[in-house]
């Protein structure tokens, strides 16, 4: 909400019924249409008009993260958007323009984050804030439209967030690290899987059956 530069993106990962969608819906409620940007898919980051649409946005969310590796162009654009340099934006009928991206990026998925050539993408992983959602609630205990109830407490929630922002600044803008065994095994695609995946994509023709 403060346009605080943090040079990172957030990845909410875990099975269904763990609250990921409720949290993102709360973000939508809090920020409203003028400051909230919904990506139809993470691949939209590659499209010509997406970058320009982020002008003056404070949060950009995507709940449709596929169970496949992000390609190089998506990764490249994500690193650029989470950097601290001016970027070039385009909108239909408007001349290209330069601006600083103020949006925070929040992605949610039932699957681990997978990146092509992960061993060469340390710059991307350094910008990743991984948030595990690993505890699904029983259907009988779930609260329908929880995000609407949380919105009624928005004033208090924002107050707590501002207090945490002060602590965040005091920690040189570093987020609480997770154990390496939690993050490392979840995010990086094994070399063998990457090798086979690239072979299938680049060398094979798919056919029914």
């Amino acid at each position: 909400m403060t346009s605080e530069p943090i040079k990172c993106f957030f990845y909410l990962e875990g099975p269904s019924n763990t609250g990921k969608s409720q949290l993102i819906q709360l973000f939508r409620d809090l920020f409203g249409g003028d400051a909230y940007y919904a990506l139809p898919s993470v691949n939209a980051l590659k499209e010509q008009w997406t970058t320009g649409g982020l002008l003056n946005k404070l949060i950009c969310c995507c709940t449709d993260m596929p169970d496949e590796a992000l390609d190089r162009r998506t990764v490249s654009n994500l690193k650029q958007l989470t950097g601290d340099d001016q970027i070039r934006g385009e909108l239909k009928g408007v001349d290209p323009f330069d601006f600083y991206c103020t949006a925070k990026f929040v992605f949610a998925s039932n699957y681990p984050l997978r990146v092509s050539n992960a061993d060469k993408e340390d710059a991307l992983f350094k910008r990743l804030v991984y948030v595990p959602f690993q505890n699904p609630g029983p259907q009988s205990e779930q609260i329908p439209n929880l995000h609407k109830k949380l919105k009624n407490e928005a004033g208090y929630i924002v107050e707590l967030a501002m207090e945490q922002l002060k602590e965040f600044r005091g920690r040189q803008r570093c987020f609480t690290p997770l154990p390496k065994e939690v993050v490392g095994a979840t995010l990086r695609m094994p070399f063998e899987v990457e090798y086979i995946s690239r072979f299938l994509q680049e060398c094979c023709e798919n056919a029914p059956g």
Side-chain angles (χ1 to χ4, degrees), residues 81-147:
L81 290 166
T82 53
D84 50 14
D85 297 325
Q86 279 192 326
I87 59 175
R88 175 59 58 97
E90 293 184 67
L91 293 172
K92 292 182 179 180
V94 178
D95 291 335
F97 53 90
D98 295 325
F99 71 104
Y100 289 99
C101 183
T102 55
K104 307 300 184 295
F105 292 83
V106 182
F107 305 116
S109 179
N110 295 343
Y111 312 104
L113 178 63
R114 292 163 51 189
V115 178
S116 296
N117 300 310
D119 58 321
K120 300 178 182 179
E121 293 295 348
D122 285 342
L124 178 74
F125 287 108
K126 287 179 180 178
R127 300 182 185 195
L128 167 69
V129 178
Y130 174 65
V131 186
F133 278 69
Q134 299 296 330
N135 299 295
Q139 188 74 32
S140 60
E141 297 182 12
Q142 293 177 19
I143 302 174
N145 297 315
L146 176 62
H147 65 98

Side-chain angles (χ1 to χ4, degrees), residues 35-36 73 77 80 85 116 118 125 129 140 147 151 171 180 190 196:
Y36 180 94
R73 186 174 174 187
N77 286 359
Q80 184 182 27
D85 297 325
S116 296
F125 287 108
V129 178
S140 60
H147 65 98
K151 185 183 178 183
R171 297 195 305 269
K180 289 185 178 180
I196 295 170

Side-chain angles (χ1 to χ4, degrees), residues 18 34 64 76 102 105:
T18 51
D34 291 338
D64 186 26
S76 175
T102 55
F105 292 83

Side-chain angles (χ1 to χ4, degrees), residues 16-177:
S16 300
N17 300 320
T18 51
K20 301 185 299 296
S21 296
Q22 291 295 325
L23 180 59
I24 288 182
Q25 287 176 353
L26 175 63
F27 290 154
R28 183 190 59 198
D29 294 342
L30 291 178
F31 285 91
D34 291 338
Y36 180 94
Y37 191 93
L39 282 177
S41 74
V42 68
N43 293 321
L45 288 175
K46 300 185 296 185
E47 296 176 2
Q48 181 178 4
W49 313 114
T50 297
T51 302
L54 292 168
L55 178 66
N56 297 326
K57 301 299 183 182
L58 293 177
I59 190 166
C60 175
C61 297
C62 177
T63 59
D64 186 26
M65 295 294 290
D67 185 20
E68 60 186 38
L70 303 184
D71 62 33
R72 295 177 183 178
R73 186 174 174 187
T74 297
V75 169
S76 175
N77 286 359
L78 181 58
K79 288 191 292 187
Q80 184 182 27
L81 290 166
T82 53
D84 50 14
D85 297 325
Q86 279 192 326
I87 59 175
R88 175 59 58 97
E90 293 184 67
L91 293 172
K92 292 182 179 180
V94 178
D95 291 335
F97 53 90
D98 295 325
F99 71 104
Y100 289 99
C101 183
T102 55
K104 307 300 184 295
F105 292 83
V106 182
F107 305 116
S109 179
N110 295 343
Y111 312 104
L113 178 63
R114 292 163 51 189
V115 178
S116 296
N117 300 310
D119 58 321
K120 300 178 182 179
E121 293 295 348
D122 285 342
L124 178 74
F125 287 108
K126 287 179 180 178
R127 300 182 185 195
L128 167 69
V129 178
Y130 174 65
V131 186
F133 278 69
Q134 299 296 330
N135 299 295
Q139 188 74 32
S140 60
E141 297 182 12
Q142 293 177 19
I143 302 174
N145 297 315
L146 176 62
H147 65 98
K148 294 182 179 179
K149 298 181 184 295
L150 292 174
K151 185 183 178 183
N152 293 332
E153 305 293 335
Y156 183 59
I157 292 172
V158 172
E159 180 182 354
L160 292 178
M162 295 303 293
E163 292 177 2
Q164 292 299 314
L165 176 58
K166 295 177 183 178
E167 294 190 16
F168 177 69
R169 289 168 173 166
R171 297 195 305 269
Q172 286 73 50
R173 294 179 169 82
C174 293
F175 289 93
T176 304

